[in-house]
Amino acid sequence: MSRIRGLKTRRNAELGLLVFAMLLVAAFGATVEANQFDEIRPNFWVPAGLIGILFFGLHMVVRFTAPFADPVLLPSVALINGIGVAFLRRLDLENAIANERAIPGFFAETSGRQLAWTLLSLILAAVLLLLLRDHRVVSRYAYTLGLVGIVLMMIPAVLPASISEVNGAKLWIRIGSVSIQPGEFAKLALVSFFAYYLVRKREVLSLASHRVLGVDFPRGRDLGPVLTVWLFSLLVLVFEKDLGTALLYFGLFVVTLYVATERSSWLIIGLVLFFGGVYVAYLLGDVVGGPFANFYDRAEIWLDPFSQKNYERESGNSYQLVQGLLGLGTGGLFGTGPGAGSPFKVPEVRTDFIFAGLGEEIGLFGLAALLIIYLLIVERGLHAALAVRDSFGKLVAGGLAFTLGLQVFVILGGITGLIPLTGQTTPFLSAGGSSLMANWLLIAMLLRISDAARRPANTPAERASGPKKAPTQLHGAMTEVIKP
């Protein structure tokens, strides 16, 4: 510990950024109260204070278990999580006022449950940091994690719609009042499996057989892995009825494959396979129907959400998308102000469409600032991937960072009409426990890998992990190769 104390760990910078983030959350809450009650009550700061205490607890865990971790990750995620809780609190207040009920307590209704989910998520993140002192240990269980990921991914598809389907997408397991989205945890397990598999097979998958327009394409016999994952993603699209989840799994594998092999041909093959499969599914939905019908309906709504036909569909109409677009349009550049909008005009504003409800009140500039914070988190994850010394850590960090960025793109693309609507939830913002817990575990893993990346080679923890093998320099990004 004496050796670590003599080095710059940037934990005080992290604490300062965390305090600043909570001040922004408190300011958001104060503005909500000013618009809802025409006054700022003395206890407006309590939600921000409560969630700030939770984040301070995780900060202390990071300070002692991952002292060299990236100082920007935790405050950035804390700000988004805090804004999410504050916005859900704002919805609870308006709901109570509209129904002439007493103002709910800080631990009541949706915001109170989200505060509890945040506490549980931070506990899980802290436990991961305490138990997992070396990210490379995960590679020992790669095949087990791969099997677990596939099982979690496919469970909702085989369950009856009565306990697995919400808003047309079969992504859930619902038992009574308890529901869980297993796909959120599946992506974490699959990232670890993909990383381990590609570290071992990267040399074979890097071999080229044909060169077309300056691009080296792989041998035909090496297409097995990508075709297998492509097939699974199409099964998810058809039987779980969700384009976003299929794109998330397939995109994760293809990008990790590209990072491992540095062959842009894999990106071209992946794009052709995915969009070709999606188009075929759309055509089959029109001609055959059956399991393809749901995706066909969503694609039709996406192509023309304002048409009378799509607006009045009996099963799955465009009302939700249209209201979300109108909400974003109402917000304009600067928004109506926190607490001054009409978010309840947008269905599912607490979950799928929280971006639309929030966008009405903070405007285009506010949403852009929020997206920049997401981009910053992804960038810090990719920076950790570039800096860490082992190939497994590079692929895991790169895969996790890309997964987070792709999930935000899929959600925002669906809400704005860029792609068909999906059943994904906005990381750290939307109400619900599955997404929040899984994404905080993702952040904990990035903290662990960034700690290994930034830790000087002669510190006690680094020496305890054993000597590193000498890296071989290749061209392109993430070029260090360590033989397994």
Side-chain angles (χ1 to χ4, degrees):
M1 286 298 293
S2 60
R3 176 61 182 153
I4 292 179
R5 285 175 187 150
L7 300 172
K8 289 185 177 180
T9 62
R10 308 303 298 273
R11 299 279 60 83
N12 290 335
E14 178 182 81
L15 181 59
L17 290 173
L18 194 57
V19 171
F20 178 67
M22 292 303 101
L23 289 176
L24 292 179
V25 174
F28 185 94
T31 309
V32 166
E33 295 215 348
N35 285 318
Q36 290 284 312
F37 303 113
D38 294 325
E39 64 173 351
I40 300 176
R41 299 180 301 168
N43 62 350
F44 78 93
W45 58 271
V46 174
L50 289 172
I51 201 168
I53 292 172
L54 301 182
F55 293 134
F56 178 75
L58 183 60
H59 162 76
M60 294 305 296
V61 173
V62 173
R63 182 178 286 267
F64 288 102
T65 63
F68 294 96
D70 193 301
V72 178
L73 278 172
L74 177 58
S76 300
V77 179
L79 176 58
I80 297 175
N81 197 162
I83 292 294
V85 173
F87 183 70
L88 293 174
R89 172 70 178 171
R90 170 257 182 279
L91 296 178
D92 291 341
L93 291 176
E94 180 171 335
N95 191 41
I97 293 172
N99 291 285
E100 299 182 350
R101 294 188 286 106
I103 301 301
F106 297 114
F107 300 100
E109 300 196 21
T110 307
S111 59
R113 289 193 295 272
Q114 191 71 358
L115 198 61
W117 283 122
T118 301
L119 172 60
L120 181 57
S121 301
L122 295 181
I123 290 174
L124 289 176
V127 169
L128 189 146
L129 288 171
L130 288 167
L131 296 181
L132 185 66
R133 297 306 179 98
D134 187 345
H135 63 272
R136 292 170 295 182
V137 173
V138 176
S139 65
R140 300 175 188 173
Y141 311 99
Y143 288 106
T144 302
L145 289 173
L147 178 60
V148 170
I150 292 173
V151 170
L152 290 175
M153 179 177 66
M154 301 307 295
I155 282 178
V158 300
L159 291 176
S162 59
I163 61 175
S164 64
E165 187 171 319
V166 176
N167 295 328
K170 296 187 64 176
L171 301 174
W172 297 86
I173 299 175
R174 295 184 301 164
I175 302 176
S177 60
V178 179
S179 61
I180 186 172
Q181 195 170 357
E184 292 288 344
F185 300 95
K187 66 185 181 184
L188 302 180
L190 290 175
V191 166
S192 301
F193 169 69
F194 291 159
Y196 179 77
Y197 173 80
L198 292 173
V199 165
R200 297 180 65 87
K201 302 295 183 181
R202 64 191 302 172
E203 293 183 2
V204 174
L205 295 172
S206 298
L207 297 177
S209 62
H210 301 288
R211 189 174 182 85
V212 180
L213 298 177
V215 179
D216 293 321
F217 282 86
R219 301 175 301 177
R221 59 189 166 191
D222 296 329
L223 294 175
V226 73
L227 289 175
T228 301
V229 179
W230 172 70
L231 180 60
F232 269 111
S233 67
L234 290 183
L235 291 175
V236 169
L237 174 66
V238 173
F239 293 103
E240 296 192 359
K241 307 175 184 178
D242 188 61
L243 174 66
T245 304
L247 178 59
L248 190 65
Y249 292 142
F250 188 66
L252 167 63
F253 179 75
V254 171
V255 168
T256 309
L257 180 58
Y258 165 68
V259 170
T261 63
E262 302 170 32
R263 296 289 187 189
S264 56
S265 57
W266 285 117
L267 294 179
I268 298 172
I269 292 170
L271 289 172
V272 171
L273 284 175
F274 185 80
F275 288 109
V278 166
Y279 183 65
V280 170
Y282 170 76
L283 294 179
L284 289 174
D286 184 24
V287 177
V288 179
F292 304 96
N294 182 270
F295 175 68
Y296 174 78
D297 290 342
R298 290 200 175 200
E300 284 291 297
I301 289 171
W302 166 63
L303 290 171
D304 191 3
F306 290 94
S307 71
Q308 193 72 14
K309 172 187 173 183
N310 289 328
Y311 196 77
E312 296 179 349
R313 281 178 179 268
E314 292 185 4
S315 58
N317 54 49
S318 63
Y319 176 77
Q320 186 180 24
L321 177 58
V322 169
Q323 291 301 106
L325 291 172
L326 292 176
L328 291 172
T330 302
L333 291 178
F334 300 100
T336 59
S342 303
F344 279 112
K345 291 183 178 181
V346 180
E348 306 295 339
V349 71
R350 290 185 172 91
T351 52
D352 297 17
F353 272 68
I354 194 169
F355 250 129
L358 195 56
E360 180 189 1
E361 300 195 339
I362 64 177
L364 177 62
F365 287 164
L367 276 186
L370 201 59
L371 290 175
I372 289 173
I373 299 172
Y374 276 115
L375 184 62
L376 181 61
I377 297 169
V378 173
E379 185 274 332
R380 302 313 294 178
L382 294 176
H383 183 271
L386 287 167
V388 74
R389 300 173 180 89
D390 65 288
S391 293
F392 178 74
K394 287 180 181 296
L395 294 182
V396 170
L400 292 175
F402 174 79
T403 298
L404 182 63
L406 182 59
Q407 188 169 351
V408 174
F409 165 77
V410 164
I411 295 158
L412 193 61
I415 292 172
T416 58
L418 183 62
I419 62 174
L421 276 176
T422 72
Q424 295 290 315
T425 54
T426 311
F428 309 110
L429 270 181
S430 297
S434 301
S435 176
L436 195 61
M437 288 188 291
N439 284 302
W440 268 109
L441 288 173
L442 182 153
I443 294 300
M445 194 65 178
L446 287 180
L447 287 170
R448 173 54 66 211
I449 295 174
S450 69
D451 175 68
R454 297 161 62 92
R455 183 182 293 271
N458 59 346
T459 55
E462 190 71 13
R463 291 197 301 268
S465 63
K468 300 269 191 311
K469 299 180 182 179
T472 301
Q473 287 303 116
L474 299 176
H475 62 282
M478 302 182 190
T479 57
E480 295 174 351
V481 179
I482 298 176
K483 302 292 184 183

